[in-house]
Amino acid sequence: MIVVLSKSVSSHDKEMIRIYLRDRGLSIREHFLGDDAIIGASGKGVVDIRELGLLPGVERVAATSKPYELVSRETKAEDTIVTVGAGPSFPGVKIGGSRITVIAGPCAVESKEQIMETAALVRESGAVMLRGGAYKPRTSPYAFQGLGMQGLEFMKAAGEAYGMPIVTEVVSPELALQMKDLIDMFQIGARNMQNFELLKKVGSLGKPVLLKRGPSATIEEWLLSAEYLLAAGTRDVVLCERGIRTFETYTRNTLDISAIPVVKGLSHLPVMVDPSHAVGIRAKVSSAALAAIAAGADGLTVEVHPRPDEALSDGPQSLYPEQFERLMRDIEALAPVVGKELLRTPRLGAAGAPRPKPQVGTGSPEGPAELPVAFCGENGAFAEQALMRAFGEEAPRLQVKSFPGIFDAVLEGSAVAGVVPVENSQTGSIHENYDLFLRYSDVAIVGELKLRIVHCLIGDERASLDSITIVRSHPQGFGQCKEFLDKYPQWTLEPATTTADAVASIAREGAVKVAAIAGEAAALAHGLKVIKAGIETNPLNYTRFVIISRRDGDSAPVPPSLGSGAPNKASLVFSVPDEPGALFGCLKILSDRGINLSKLESRPIQGKPWEYLFYVDVSIPDTVEDFEAAIGELKTKTRDFHYLGAYRASL
Ligand code: PEP
Ligand code: MN
């Protein structure tokens, strides 16, 4: 049984609760989890749960039959987000929540050159942490055992050179103490999952821990090992499924995909997957990795070697750098489908060194933003989801009531950036917002992000499909759910500023006749019920948001989650003289330099009937000089040329 105490519990009330439990024959344990004080109680005694719940100082009682307490979702409902490697000059890498965190590196550190080379490669592809074994628990005593402390020194140097926290396996309590100050995260290997003395020692050192599942461990045994770590004091535990032993011999182990949703239901701890040790065959690793992400994993740890054929351990399962690069791109494309964003490293500067920390950029690895990021809409709006995806859940937000309000906040400096929806994959451009870029020429696009839009019909607790007569949403919401709405021609449709505004209005009015079309987050934020989920006509329904900031800002707050590397996309707006071939001439400038056009749209010019502006998105080639020359030439051939910004394209 778990008793969560209220924040204001007095020491007297606490003592009375202890006495109450002991008097009824239960043995008790006291813990802290975040801000919550918790008493775990077990034994043969019988307790009236309702009576216990009414004692002063008791917030909540969970009558769990589970043998673990601190790792249980019954103790802590919200996801734990683990931060690794935070320091005075680095905010740390986050694991858990709405991000996908990828750790990569060789099975073993083999030399300084090898770990440096691997770190550079995996970082370039987007890994945010570096892995590598210095103490290798090998099945054969004659196999390569690792470089020991020297290997750790090499790894530390590589982690520092490339701005990546390091994780490495610890095999004994004595070594844990020696390793502590060299590493950012301990890994407890599969073979040591039930080495309880090791768990107690590592759990007491205050460093994050990646806990592999033992090859023959049940989910409950695995969670109990995590309980050892938490009971010893650490809060930062990440579980790692790495394949279990079954009768199948084709693969090295069997990746237990179903363990991911099961454990995420049972525990608040993040769950990562190691597809390399699970599968053991290089050609199958990426498929398993993508399956893990689809099943809800919070991240991956993947073995990558610059030359796997020369690897001293686990070469056959180590990815070639090109395979890892491809995998990262596939994860990026898959992430929005499962409502997540791939966590990206901050961009590399010209010399290959990490750029200085942006002031905001809190999709982490950056820490919380100081100035807020603006979005339009009520709590739970899709724009708020996009903001959290880009800047992290903790990023301070500024809610404004209209789309121009976002631009105003950014220009006035009350927000450091803004999140603006510009296009939906089904219903097309949001022209109102496109037009704002022309009115606010001191604002530039610095990033983009695509969010999967799953619409729900949302109403009061008592509302049902039969009680509804009015449906409110943003007109885009109606457009995206047309097939569903066509089944209910008797409903009156009322437009709202945003989908979440529609939800908020129902919460205020408490109406059973009115429903809203919006995302599930809006229902949760306003305490309403989802009457029907997934009502968008096409499940491939994405909205593209752009991140805007002031042009004169000295550090454009590009969240690292929005891509690493130099900008590869730019948005332009121009009009052309009214003469034959004028538009063709402009497009030829781009085509002659091999610059790809990803969007071309015309819009009427306000106040000039029958004259049009062209909205153009282009890719920026590797030869930036070609791009700059093309822009220079376009300026001379067009009228009203606006350069909206250059940024990293979202897939
Ligand atoms: C490793 O990650 O290097 C490793 C040895 O994994 P496991 O403990 O899962 O076998
Ligand atoms: Mn290995």
Side-chain angles (χ1 to χ4, degrees):
M1 178 192 328
I2 297 158
V3 185
V4 180
L5 305 183
S6 58
K7 300 242 182 325
S8 56
V9 63
S10 67
S11 46
H12 173 261
D13 290 345
K14 211 168 172 179
E15 183 56 20
M16 297 313 285
I17 297 166
R18 287 188 197 107
I19 293 171
Y20 182 94
L21 292 166
R22 285 205 196 100
D23 281 356
R24 283 156 185 79
L26 298 181
S27 61
I28 62 171
R29 299 156 292 279
E30 294 184 40
H31 319 277
F32 279 93
L33 198 58
D35 295 340
D36 288 328
I38 288 153
I39 298 183
S42 56
K44 293 218 167 72
V46 181
V47 169
D48 180 339
I49 300 281
R50 285 173 55 192
E51 189 178 80
L52 174 61
L54 292 173
L55 292 186
V58 173
E59 170 85 26
R60 191 163 58 78
V61 182
T64 178
S65 54
K66 310 271 172 24
Y68 41 82
E69 295 168 359
L70 292 169
V71 305
S72 174
R73 262 224 201 263
E74 290 175 299
T75 308
K76 178 173 180 276
E78 66 279 11
D79 287 344
T80 284
I81 296 174
V82 169
T83 304
V84 185
S89 59
F90 184 70
V93 164
K94 291 202 164 60
I95 305 175
S98 64
R99 56 184 71 67
I100 295 170
T101 308
V102 178
I103 306 173
C107 177
V109 182
E110 298 168 2
S111 66
K112 187 161 183 187
E113 294 68 36
Q114 173 248 16
I115 191 73
M116 281 287 180
E117 186 182 358
T118 316
L121 287 165
V122 298
R123 187 186 194 285
E124 206 43 43
S125 298
V128 287
M129 278 182 62
L130 182 65
R131 61 146 287 142
Y135 292 92
K136 296 302 303 173
R138 304 303 298 279
T139 307
S140 159
Y142 309 120
F144 175 60
Q145 303 284 312
L147 298 183
M149 289 312 274
Q150 193 186 33
L152 287 186
E153 301 278 358
F154 295 159
M155 217 180 152
K156 181 171 189 288
E160 280 170 3
Y162 292 97
M164 302 165 89
I166 59 173
V167 53
T168 192
E169 179 162 357
V170 55
V171 291
S172 74
E174 302 72 42
L175 279 170
L177 270 178
Q178 289 180 42
M179 291 164 73
K180 180 175 171 280
D181 295 328
L182 288 171
I183 64 166
D184 300 295
M185 185 180 212
F186 283 111
Q187 177 172 315
I188 304 276
R191 293 156 195 80
N192 272 314
M193 188 202 84
Q194 285 187 313
N195 182 339
F196 300 117
E197 291 311 312
L198 180 64
L199 295 172
K200 283 190 237 171
K201 182 77 211 169
V202 170
S204 72
L205 295 179
K207 285 251 154 170
V209 187
L210 184 71
L211 177 66
K212 295 280 195 95
R213 178 179 182 183
S216 307
T218 63
I219 288 173
E220 188 162 292
E221 286 164 342
W222 184 22
L223 290 174
L224 280 166
S225 289
E227 185 80 14
Y228 263 96
L229 291 167
L230 268 76
T234 182
R235 293 292 165 258
D236 295 326
V237 175
V238 177
L239 298 162
C240 182
E241 160 63 39
R242 45 77 74 203
I244 51 173
R245 194 156 277 195
T246 66
F247 55 80
E248 181 54 67
T249 54
Y250 192 90
T251 48
R252 181 172 175 179
N253 291 288
T254 299
L255 178 57
D256 186 3
I257 286 282
S258 49
I260 304 164
V262 169
V263 172
K264 288 205 68 80
L266 293 173
S267 174
H268 51 84
L269 296 175
V271 180
M272 289 188 114
V273 167
D274 171 349
S276 310
H277 292 88
V279 174
I281 308 167
R282 182 184 308 129
K284 316 289 177 206
V285 166
S286 295
S287 314
L290 292 170
I293 298 300
D298 295 297
L300 300 171
T301 168
V302 186
E303 286 186 343
V304 182
H305 195 288
R307 288 163 296 281
D309 308 322
E310 295 169 18
L312 297 183
S313 64
D314 283 349
Q317 70 192 32
S318 300
L319 295 186
Y320 285 97
E322 310 76 67
Q323 289 177 305
F324 180 63
E325 167 77 24
R326 167 78 202 270
L327 172 62
M328 290 299 280
R329 292 179 65 78
D330 288 348
I331 295 170
E332 195 163 0
L334 177 59
V337 178
V338 289
K340 292 189 179 164
E341 191 76 20
L342 177 64
L343 182 60
R344 285 289 197 172
T345 36
R347 296 167 182 210
L348 289 174
R355 280 189 189 172
K357 195 179 111 195
Q359 285 168 3
V360 177
T362 51
S364 41
E366 309 311 313
E370 270 138 37
L371 268 173
V373 180
F375 74 99
C376 172
E378 287 279 353
N379 292 341
F382 286 117
E384 189 183 29
Q385 305 285 303
L387 187 159
M388 291 195 290
R389 216 50 78 62
F391 293 91
E393 290 89 347
E394 311 82 358
R397 295 154 219 175
L398 178 71
Q399 281 174 269
V400 298
K401 294 217 170 339
S402 69
F403 291 116
I406 306 175
F407 288 74
D408 287 334
V410 169
L411 262 192
E412 288 160 8
S414 51
V416 72
V419 178
V420 182
V422 288
E423 186 175 6
N424 176 266
S425 57
Q426 281 190 65
T427 41
S429 293
I430 301 161
H431 292 124
E432 177 195 353
N433 292 346
Y434 263 110
D435 292 343
L436 288 171
F437 287 106
L438 305 185
R439 261 175 54 201
Y440 291 85
S441 54
D442 288 337
V443 163
I445 301 178
V446 295
E448 76 168 2
L449 159 105
K450 286 185 193 124
L451 187 78
R452 182 172 171 203
I453 305 292
V454 177
H455 280 301
C456 303
L457 189 71
I458 293 165
D460 185 88
E461 193 54 46
R462 297 154 297 157
S464 68
L465 284 172
D466 299 326
S467 74
I468 296 165
T469 57
I470 296 170
V471 178
R472 288 187 197 141
S473 191
H474 187 274
Q476 288 257 347
F478 294 140
Q480 291 161 29
C481 301
K482 187 169 179 316
E483 263 180 30
F484 172 76
L485 289 171
D486 283 350
K487 291 189 216 150
Y488 302 91
Q490 70 277 22
W491 290 350
T492 307
L493 305 185
E494 287 184 3
T497 320
T498 69
T499 56
D501 281 77
V503 176
S505 72
I506 297 172
R508 274 194 305 271
E509 294 161 19
V512 292
K513 288 188 171 172
V514 194
I517 291 178
E520 190 185 5
L524 283 173
H526 297 280
L528 293 181
K529 178 178 82 170
V530 170
I531 301 169
K532 193 164 169 55
I535 57 169
E536 69 281 7
T537 303
N538 186 339
L540 295 178
N541 186 23
Y542 295 90
T543 293
R544 192 160 73 89
F545 289 84
V546 293
I547 311 294
I548 58 168
S549 89
R550 276 168 72 121
R551 280 188 199 272
D552 61 0
D554 39 45
S555 81
V558 185
S561 59
L562 298 186
S564 57
N568 58 1
K569 182 173 177 184
S571 295
L572 325 168
V573 182
F574 52 77
S575 63
V576 294
D578 187 12
E579 60 192 38
L583 178 61
F584 171 77
C586 292
L587 299 185
K588 189 166 178 309
I589 293 171
L590 300 172
S591 142
D592 285 349
R593 292 185 169 79
I595 296 172
N596 189 39
L597 193 72
S598 53
K599 176 170 173 154
L600 172 64
E601 189 169 0
S602 66
R603 290 272 303 135
I605 301 180
Q606 305 296 312
K608 293 189 185 168
W610 322 123
E611 288 190 33
Y612 297 89
L613 278 170
F614 294 100
Y615 283 75
V616 178
D617 286 349
V618 293
S619 57
I620 302 178
D622 290 341
T623 47
V624 180
E625 310 74 47
D626 279 346
F627 177 72
E628 283 166 358
I631 296 294
E633 212 179 315
L634 271 179
K635 283 184 182 161
T636 66
K637 291 256 159 66
T638 54
R639 290 184 185 152
D640 281 342
F641 185 90
H642 303 265
Y643 188 74
L644 301 188
Y647 48 94
R648 197 75 194 162
S650 135
L651 287 179

